[in-house]
């Protein structure tokens, strides 16, 4: 693995527990990891580039999960945290930065009525736009709603706004351990020149290498982490 490739362990939090949902369905918990902050501390002990944290309840309902962010940052220290879920405004994003989050993921608000440039101006390199794709269309609001934007159109919007980093997730693969959607990653790579993180379906080191080979600059590993995948050996 190249040194500049970011392999990030993911901890998704719902109702106070670390979970992995299957294909983003809130009623379909594929795996549980207990105390999320204990899990964050455990994965941070291996010194990944960042720990990826998603507040699933906030993603669905909106509102910056500030207290969760503070606790996640404290648990991961000194490893920085990339956190998303619930950001619906620039004020929400700034609240997470004030809580110590190193990178803020913005999905729903990135493809809503607010100009994406406002998030770029406020966050700069701290911004990660979440491009969450199902059936060729970007989903929002905890993946429960359609943005009506194709992957290509969403990435065009990111490029025009000056976004430097996106996280592209294959919703149909997420939490399934079915392998990554390499075609989606290829499409994202062709449509976006900045840093590209890939997520969804990654099972093992071979999958990590596969997403790197098709152009991803990093990958997020979620359910495989709870199933025992040692991301430090990838």
């Amino acid at each position: 693995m190249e040194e500049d490739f970011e392999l990030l362990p993911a901890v998704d939090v719902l109702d106070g527990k670390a979970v992995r949902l299957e294909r983003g369905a809130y009623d379909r918990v594929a795996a549980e990891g207990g105390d999320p902050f204990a899990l964050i501390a455990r994965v941070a002990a291996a010194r990944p580039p960042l720990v990826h944290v998603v507040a699933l309840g906030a993603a669905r309902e909106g509102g910056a999960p500030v207290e969760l962010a503070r606790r996640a940052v404290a648990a991961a220290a000194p490893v920085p945290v990339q956190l998303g879920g619930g950001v619906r405004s620039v004020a929400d994003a700034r609240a997470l930065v004030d809580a110590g989050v190193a990178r803020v993921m913005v999905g729903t608000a990135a493809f809503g009525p607010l100009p994406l440039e406002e998030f770029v101006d406020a966050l700069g390199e701290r911004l990660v736009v979440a491009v969450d794709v199902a059936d060729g269309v970007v989903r929002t609001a905890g993946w429960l709603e359609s943005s009506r934007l194709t992957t290509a159109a969403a990435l065009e919007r990111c490029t025009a706004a000056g976004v430097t980093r996106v996280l592209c997730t294959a919703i149909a693969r997420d939490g399934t351990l079915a392998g990554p959607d390499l075609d989606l990653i290829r499409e994202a790579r062709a449509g976006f020149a900045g840093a590209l993180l890939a997520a969804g379906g990654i099972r093992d080191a071979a999958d990590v290498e596969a997403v790197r080979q098709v152009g991803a600059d990093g990958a997020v590993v979620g359910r495989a982490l709870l199933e025992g995948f040692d991301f430090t050996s990838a």
Side-chain angles (χ1 to χ4, degrees), residues 3-11 39-54 72-73 75-84 100-105 125-128 165-167 195 197 217-222 225 231-232:
E3 290 185 3
D4 58 354
F5 185 91
E6 291 188 344
L7 184 56
L8 309 183
V11 179
L39 180 58
I40 289 169
R42 178 167 67 81
V43 298
R47 295 295 189 269
L50 298 95
V51 178
H52 174 95
V53 180
V54 177
V73 168
V79 175
V81 169
Q82 172 174 292
L83 187 142
V101 173
R103 290 184 191 160
V104 177
M105 289 179 287
E125 291 290 331
R126 291 180 181 269
L127 174 65
V128 181
R165 180 177 286 104
V166 301
L167 168 64
L197 305 177
D217 300 297
V220 173
V221 178
L225 182 71
F231 68 92
T232 64

Side-chain angles (χ1 to χ4, degrees), residues 142-231:
W143 301 353
L144 299 175
E145 298 178 7
S146 172
S147 71
R148 300 185 180 180
L149 291 172
T150 64
T151 306
L155 292 170
E156 287 174 9
R157 180 177 293 194
C158 290
T159 298
V163 173
T164 61
R165 180 177 286 104
V166 301
L167 168 64
C168 191
T169 299
I171 293 174
R173 306 292 181 97
D174 199 64
T176 66
L177 295 179
D181 185 340
L182 298 180
D183 288 339
L184 176 61
I185 299 167
R186 288 188 187 96
E187 180 183 6
R189 179 73 287 164
F192 185 71
L196 171 64
L197 305 177
I202 295 174
R203 300 163 292 192
D204 51 28
D207 283 345
V208 172
E209 177 60 18
V211 300
R212 188 190 72 80
Q213 289 289 345
V214 297
D217 300 297
V220 173
V221 178
R223 182 176 174 186
L225 182 71
L226 297 182
E227 300 286 349
F229 170 52
D230 180 7
F231 68 92

Side-chain angles (χ1 to χ4, degrees), residues 59 86-88 106-113 130 132 139-143 145 147:
V87 175
R88 300 293 191 266
V106 180
T108 301
F111 305 114
D132 304 317
R139 306 288 297 182
T140 58
W143 301 353
E145 298 178 7
S147 71

